[in-house]
Amino acid sequence: MPEQKQVRVRFAPSPTGSFHIGNARTALFNYLFARHEDGTFVLRIEDTDAERSSGEFEAEILAGLTWLGLHWDEGPDSGGPYAPYRQSERRTSYEEYARRLLAKGQAYFCYCTEEELEAQKQDLASRGESPRYSGRCRNLTEAERAKFQREGRSAVLRFQVPEREVSFKDLIRGKISFDMALVGDFSIAKVALNRPTALQSGGQATRATESLEFSPLYNFSVVVDDFEMRISHVIRGEDHISNTPKQLLLQEALGFSCPEYAHLPLILGPDRSKLSSRHGATSLKAYREDGFLAGAMLNILAFLGWNPGGTREMLSLEELIKEFSLARVHKAGAVFNANRLEWLNAQYLRALAPEALLECAVPFLVSAGLLQPADGGYRIVKTGEQMSDSYLQAVLRLEQGRMKKLSEIAALTEFFFVDVPDYDANLLPWKGRGKEDTREALEAVGAVIEAVPAEDFTVGRLSEGLLAVAAERGDRGIVLWPLRVALTGREASPDPIEIAAILGKDKTAKRLQAAITKLRD
Ligand code: GLU
């Protein structure tokens, strides 16, 4: 029996921009596959483009993966048997393999300028051929090479592409073939030539050997790293399909074994064009900061091109691992539906235990300027009053079923974090009722509040008294409407009796009194 290959996959982002939904989906599918197969999940940072890469973007990727709970087994921070895991720290490997290709005549220096390359492409296109590299520098003589160098031209190293078909079996899309004659020799590294220099040492002139500095390009560094890191399966976005035959040829030239390939479907916006910022936020961080929970995000990402069959739509990470298989990944583009994410997030928010809700919602109240941390708990910014966890939990629970995302919590609960809400007295009277009637009703409400003891200020006790007052007047609106306005300053809110029960006797009485005073003016 052939030996089962140990599964090792990598997520290989370039830290050249915000960590976006598409990359997070690639990371998740790699992670799920690795865990399902008892394999290894490697994080490799592809930062060979020094100008566009930044440590800040790298940190954002690590933070995003950690938030989603996708822990990597080997990576730039944690190390591992094939360290380093940052391409900028692996240049010696690339140089060694590039020299091998040069020595075997499978790579060559190309000195064509941008303008020359463009002219070659135009010329091929005008003859109805594919606009590729013409191969002009394939067979330069030493003298020609030296002349270009004297002219101070910079060079790239090109891989000599055999003019034949290259096919591979994609685990999601089946057999894919490319006619490499149409592709032409592609560049695998930029080369800076360090000219021989005369060094003075101990009065003796020493000639330093000519050295070449390789700055590897994407296809080349990926092939070297996938080999050196023993990657068994390359799972990545469909936009990389056309890179795969180039990588296969490089592997063949270098005598490397080939990993298996699986290309994930494109992520689309609701109009079925490629997902972009035109469709709304695309960075994971933006969703996190807007108050989406990792559980909801994981599910929306997992369903971008995959589903477990059946009707389940909220799976834990453990369940996703158990159910995941590449065989169920679709070929067709997957639509990212922000409305569905909101719906899903609302379900996850609703399911949070009071302590967990407190933990994730409080930072949003703090950043909205309603609360501030104080003495191991929280203080209301406007009143300076210290809040107990149980009070905050009760406030949050009241709105738990109404929120689609945590960033909505401040606007929904703001009236709890003031001394007395601010509103126009004309808002107090119920439909068709005057200020006098309203004041009289609120005074009756005041009497009920007065009669309920502070330690038993519950929805049950309050309802009993308040509904009796309403019954006497033959209209609930005349009682509950001005009570709502007095407590919240708003026309719409949760049940005012529930709000009163959370505020407690003193605060409720104070707000009521403020309303009665407004009606007297
Ligand atoms: N660094 C590449 C990217 O961010 C991915 C490379 C790969 O998966 O082969 O698109």
Side-chain angles (χ1 to χ4, degrees), residues 10-16 23 26 44 46 87 218 222 226 234-237 239-240 243 247:
R10 83 307 194 271
F11 171 52
S14 304
T16 53
N23 266 343
T26 300
R44 182 171 77 219
E46 305 214 318
Q87 288 191 328
Y218 164 71
V222 158
D226 286 345
V234 170
I235 304 171
R236 61 185 174 194
D239 45 330
H240 283 291
N243 287 319
Q247 297 180 8

Side-chain angles (χ1 to χ4, degrees), residues 15-17 46-55 57 88 91 190:
T16 53
E46 305 214 318
D47 58 350
T48 48
D49 184 344
E51 265 168 40
R52 292 176 58 229
S53 299
S54 87
F57 289 135
S88 57
R91 289 188 192 274
K190 288 185 192 155

Side-chain angles (χ1 to χ4, degrees), residues 153-389:
R153 292 187 180 219
S154 58
V156 294
L157 200 57
R158 280 189 192 277
F159 177 67
Q160 195 157 325
V161 173
E163 298 201 344
R164 61 171 161 87
E165 192 178 90
V166 171
S167 317
F168 65 98
K169 189 172 159 281
D170 187 274
L171 293 174
I172 295 164
R173 319 178 74 84
K175 185 176 170 189
I176 302 180
S177 304
F178 287 87
D179 179 358
M180 296 312 280
L182 303 176
V183 173
D185 298 347
F186 56 91
S187 40
I188 56 175
K190 288 185 192 155
V191 185
L193 183 68
N194 295 323
R195 292 269 169 76
T197 45
L199 295 177
Q200 290 297 126
S201 98
Q204 287 232 300
T206 327
R207 218 168 149 70
T209 43
E210 179 182 279
S211 74
L212 296 170
E213 206 178 282
F214 292 92
S215 302
L217 294 170
Y218 164 71
N219 280 303
F220 186 62
S221 49
V222 158
V223 161
V224 170
D225 288 346
D226 286 345
F227 172 71
E228 293 210 321
M229 295 179 179
R230 311 278 189 275
I231 298 303
S232 64
H233 295 75
V234 170
I235 304 171
R236 61 185 174 194
E238 189 186 293
D239 45 330
H240 283 291
I241 288 186
S242 61
N243 287 319
T244 305
K246 296 179 181 173
Q247 297 180 8
L248 291 168
L249 286 175
L250 283 169
Q251 285 155 0
E252 196 181 292
L254 288 162
F256 295 167
S257 55
C258 299
E260 307 245 28
Y261 286 90
H263 289 94
L264 308 174
L266 219 53
I267 302 181
L268 312 174
D271 61 356
R272 302 200 68 86
S273 68
K274 193 175 170 195
L275 185 71
S276 76
S277 48
R278 277 186 307 117
H279 299 109
T282 54
S283 89
L284 197 65
K285 190 166 157 228
Y287 283 96
R288 183 182 179 182
E289 288 175 354
D290 204 11
F292 287 89
L293 298 179
M297 205 69 215
L298 276 175
N299 274 275
I300 211 85
L301 293 173
F303 281 69
L304 287 173
W306 172 86
N307 73 65
T311 53
R312 280 186 303 165
E313 40 190 3
M314 285 170 71
L315 287 84
S316 66
L317 194 51
E318 287 66 35
E319 288 168 323
L320 289 171
I321 292 170
K322 187 161 163 278
E323 300 293 335
F324 188 78
S325 82
L326 287 174
R328 290 196 74 96
V329 175
H330 320 149
K331 286 188 219 147
V335 175
F336 174 75
N337 181 339
N339 292 335
R340 211 184 100 77
L341 174 60
E342 284 197 346
W343 174 84
L344 206 56
N345 200 52
Q347 314 299 311
Y348 275 86
L349 282 169
R350 228 167 266 178
L352 285 179
E355 302 74 27
L357 179 63
L358 182 76
E359 197 184 317
C360 32
V362 159
F364 287 84
L365 297 174
V366 171
S367 66
L370 298 177
L371 282 186
Q372 67 190 47
D375 303 329
Y378 292 93
R379 189 160 49 210
I380 295 184
V381 170
K382 282 204 172 135
T383 64
E385 191 187 352
Q386 188 81 15
M387 291 285 91
S388 70
D389 276 7

Side-chain angles (χ1 to χ4, degrees), residues 89-140:
E89 295 163 19
R90 303 177 59 80
R91 289 188 192 274
T92 28
S93 280
Y94 309 134
E95 189 163 333
E96 184 196 318
Y97 288 110
R99 283 185 188 284
R100 243 190 242 186
L101 288 178
L102 264 174
K104 290 188 358 186
Q106 284 172 300
Y108 60 90
F109 292 102
C110 165
Y111 297 89
C112 295
T113 62
E114 285 296 329
E115 296 74 44
E116 286 166 347
L117 291 172
E118 196 42 48
Q120 291 167 25
K121 281 186 185 164
Q122 298 274 337
D123 179 47
L124 283 165
S126 70
R127 284 186 274 132
E129 290 190 42
S130 97
R132 60 197 188 278
Y133 178 61
S134 68
R136 193 184 79 160
C137 294
R138 254 194 196 196
N139 299 307
L140 290 184

